[in-house]
Amino acid sequence: DPLAHAGSRQMLLGPDAGEDEIARLSMQNAVGPDTPPTFLFHALDDSAVPPENSMMMLNALRSHGIAAECHLVESGGHGFGMGRAHGPSSQWPELMARFAQRHFFPEHV
């Protein structure tokens, strides 16, 4: 709170989750030496999940020395997937592909 997506929190944790369980299941707290390189992409006008969630995750990744890339775009809302052909959110598949090539298939870069 207040950055949690209420619907996801309810579905994943239920109505009676304690602070310990919430902390244990928060992704930024699960980052460690085995966390793979991570790509984050978030629209600043996302009304369902505040972009601060991606920024918290980025900070956790950086504090553990995990390779990470984060893109924040002006518009795109929530759940833009791969179907949008125009606008800032349409950039993410290509950016992700480049990130994956660098980190998972460097011999092809």
Side-chain angles (χ1 to χ4, degrees):
D1 291 329
L3 300 176
H5 179 264
S8 294
R9 182 177 178 174
Q10 174 69 22
M11 295 299 291
L12 293 169
L13 300 172
D16 302 318
E19 292 300 317
D20 289 344
E21 186 175 12
I22 292 168
R24 184 176 62 81
L25 295 173
S26 294
M27 288 302 299
Q28 73 275 9
N29 298 332
V31 175
D34 295 329
T35 301
T38 303
F39 178 87
L40 302 164
F41 193 95
H42 210 122
L44 293 172
D45 67 348
D46 186 334
S47 61
V49 177
E52 286 79 7
N53 281 280
S54 288
M55 292 182 250
M56 274 193 313
M57 186 64 173
L58 177 63
N59 289 335
L61 293 162
R62 292 185 70 215
S63 73
H64 285 84
I66 305 298
E69 185 168 304
C70 180
H71 296 269
L72 301 171
V73 294
E74 178 182 7
S75 61
H78 181 77
F80 37 80
M82 295 183 73
R84 295 202 181 145
H86 305 288
S89 63
S90 67
Q91 301 169 36
W92 86 262
E94 179 62 30
L95 294 167
M96 173 60 195
R98 288 188 214 148
F99 179 82
Q101 274 189 320
R102 285 193 312 275
H103 292 283
F104 300 107
F105 308 102
E107 65 277 7
H108 298 288
V109 175

